[in-house]
Amino acid sequence: MKNVKTPTSRSYHEFLIESLKNREEAAGYIEVVLEEGGDHPILLRKAIRNVVESWAKSDRLTDSAKQLHEKLDRMLTESNAAEIYTFIELLDALGFRVAISPKEPQA
């Protein structure tokens, strides 16, 4: 049998991290997880971790943001994101939704 080389491709994670460098993509990603991730609260931690990883690789993550991420990650781990998803559910019951969008660039 001939040696057949299978094409190599980037992993999904690598693709995801690269795509999250785009602020609009990152905002949409977090928004979807907030809206639909209530049954799987670990998804919020993973989504935030992916955005943080993406921004760290592009040197856009400040020390302050790193510290805030560590603090939030501990809180989400301890509470299983219960407060956040309860807030999302309350907003839904009141007829509202959370929208995540990038801030305007500072001049």
Side-chain angles (χ1 to χ4, degrees), residues 42-105:
I42 195 165
L43 292 178
L44 182 59
R45 285 184 60 225
K46 290 179 77 83
I48 293 170
R49 187 177 305 134
N50 287 336
V51 172
V52 167
E53 178 183 342
S54 174
W55 288 39
K57 286 185 177 186
S58 61
D59 292 327
R60 294 182 359 202
L61 191 68
T62 64
D63 287 338
S64 174
K66 287 179 192 176
Q67 291 173 351
L68 288 168
H69 172 250
E70 291 169 4
K71 181 179 179 179
L72 179 62
D73 193 59
R74 281 190 304 273
M75 291 168 45
L76 293 174
T77 300
E78 291 170 5
S79 71
N80 211 19
E83 295 91 348
I84 292 174
Y85 284 112
T86 300
F87 176 64
I88 300 295
E89 288 176 24
L90 173 61
L91 289 176
D92 184 57
L94 295 172
F96 297 102
R97 69 185 279 284
V98 171
I100 307 294
S101 62
K103 288 177 21 179
E104 293 297 320

